[in-house]
């Protein structure tokens, strides 16, 4: 078995255990394998081990990988999206998790309208108010979600966050709770369609266990599957 296949197996077992111990069904939790900066060959290994959903941060890289792997993979875009890349993003990705401003909503909607398609999206929330991170501030989430109601080609399915990093994952718990509360507010106000399932994309290699305990439905995991990332070239 390859290391990647082994890591995936351990991870699935761990997700399963944490879900059950949190009184959740393991199939509520979808694993997004974050393959940014890893080669297509690494993704092929994960595919062979049954992993078909991948997360990418750079749109050109995502497009190249989609071209190589085609419909065998589903790609989630989890990086900062520029408006001039909206068309490629809409054509390449199965979900964009990082909607954070009206401008990107308008650009994506225009391309989706031309292509006569819909796209699942999440709004990225910058819970720590960190200036170096993308995402909208919590107090502005509702107005962005309201704005998005006029752009129905984007199907808003929930929220995503990347909280401030702390070595102690327990300290991220309040952030995960806040994201969940925000999503519940939006849903109560009818801003997430009439979804029976609201997506919460939260939790990475070092804190996914806390995220699952707090209701994550999508966890984005890179290093725990693929190992240390190669440096930016
Ligand atoms: C890189 C990245 C991840 C994966 O992080 P790991 O610590 O490698 O699991 C998750 N989410 C986002 C937004 C990322 O950029």
């Amino acid at each position: 078995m390859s290391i990647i296949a082994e890591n995936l197996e351990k991870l699935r077992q761990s997700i399963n255990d944490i879900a059950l111990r949190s009184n959740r069904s393991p199939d509520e939790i979808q694993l997004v394998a974050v393959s940014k900066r890893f080669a297509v060959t690494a993704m092929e290994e994960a595919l062979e081990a049954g992993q078909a959903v991948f997360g990418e941060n750079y749109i050109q890289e995502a497009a190249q990988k989609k071209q190589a792997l085609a419909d065998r993979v589903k790609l989630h875009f989890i990086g900062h999206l520029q408006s001039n890349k909206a068309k490629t993003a809409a054509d390449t990705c199965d979900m964009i998790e990082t909607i954070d401003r009206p401008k990107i909503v308008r650009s994506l909607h225009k391309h989706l309208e031309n292509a006569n398609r819909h796209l699942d999206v999440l709004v990225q929330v910058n819970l720590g108010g960190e200036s170096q991170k993308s995402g909208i501030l919590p107090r502005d989430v509702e107005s962005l979600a309201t704005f998005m109601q006029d752009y129905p080609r984007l199907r808003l399915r929930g929220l995503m966050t990347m909280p401030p990093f702390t070595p102690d994952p327990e300290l991220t718990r309040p952030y995960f709770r806040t994201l969940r509360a925000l999503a519940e507010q939006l849903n109560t106000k009818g801003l997430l369609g009439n979804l029976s399932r609201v997506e919460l994309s939260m939790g990475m290699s070092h804190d996914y266990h806390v995220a699952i305990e707090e209701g994550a439905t999508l966890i984005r995991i890179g290093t725990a599957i693929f190992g240390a990332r190669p440096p930016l070239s």
Side-chain angles (χ1 to χ4, degrees):
M1 213 196 280
S2 76
I3 299 247
I4 289 174
E6 244 172 70
N7 288 343
L8 275 168
E9 192 173 287
K10 276 190 226 146
L11 194 53
R12 287 190 192 115
Q13 188 59 53
S14 160
I15 293 167
N16 214 67
D17 294 346
I18 300 161
L20 294 179
R21 148 184 124 212
S22 325
N23 292 313
R24 300 187 59 198
S25 159
D27 22 278
E28 283 174 27
I29 299 143
Q30 201 181 15
L31 173 59
V32 178
V34 178
S35 44
K36 63 179 181 216
R37 311 212 302 257
F38 285 99
V40 169
T41 49
M43 295 168 78
E44 301 254 16
E45 278 183 44
L47 264 170
E48 256 166 61
Q51 178 65 34
V53 183
F54 295 89
E56 289 288 339
N57 284 53
Y58 310 99
I59 209 66
Q60 263 99 337
E61 185 180 340
Q64 282 164 11
K65 287 171 167 175
K66 185 71 183 181
Q67 198 157 30
L69 298 163
D71 291 340
R72 296 158 66 204
V73 293
K74 288 200 184 304
L75 297 186
H76 284 211
F77 192 69
I78 60 172
H80 177 69
L81 186 56
Q82 293 166 285
S83 314
N84 63 355
K85 305 278 164 51
K87 182 178 173 356
T88 315
D91 291 344
T92 301
C93 299
D94 296 277
M95 183 186 261
I96 293 179
E97 297 198 7
T98 50
I99 301 296
D100 63 358
R101 59 201 190 280
K103 189 174 179 202
I104 201 70
V105 171
R106 278 191 236 103
S107 321
L108 280 168
H109 195 265
K110 193 177 101 199
H111 293 299
L112 291 164
E113 202 138 65
N114 292 339
N116 193 21
R117 280 177 45 225
H118 291 82
L119 184 65
D120 287 338
V121 300
L122 305 179
V123 162
Q124 179 180 6
V125 189
N126 185 351
L127 289 177
E130 296 167 281
S131 56
Q132 77 279 17
K133 274 190 188 153
S134 315
I136 191 163
L137 294 176
R139 62 168 180 267
D140 297 324
V141 169
E142 191 180 322
S143 68
L144 181 61
T146 305
F147 174 85
M148 290 174 73
Q149 304 302 305
D150 291 333
Y151 296 85
R153 298 259 165 198
L154 278 73
R155 293 197 179 115
L156 180 56
R157 323 232 36 149
L159 301 176
M160 177 272 210
T161 198
M162 190 155 135
F165 177 82
T166 74
D168 178 5
E170 201 44 51
L171 298 178
T172 58
R173 191 180 295 278
Y175 292 105
F176 295 150
R177 282 201 181 149
T178 302
L179 194 76
R180 182 181 189 161
L182 274 171
E184 276 165 9
Q185 278 171 32
L186 295 184
N187 207 22
T188 305
K189 295 191 172 161
L191 296 171
L192 297 177
N194 281 312
L195 290 182
S196 52
R197 174 194 162 101
V198 172
E199 302 287 354
L200 290 173
S201 176
M202 54 192 200
M204 318 192 342
S205 292
H206 71 291
D207 58 8
Y208 71 87
H209 52 288
V210 179
I212 292 173
E213 287 166 6
E214 296 303 331
T217 63
L218 291 160
I219 53 175
R220 310 178 309 267
I221 301 201
T223 45
I225 299 171
F226 297 109
R229 262 185 294 282
L232 275 171
S233 49

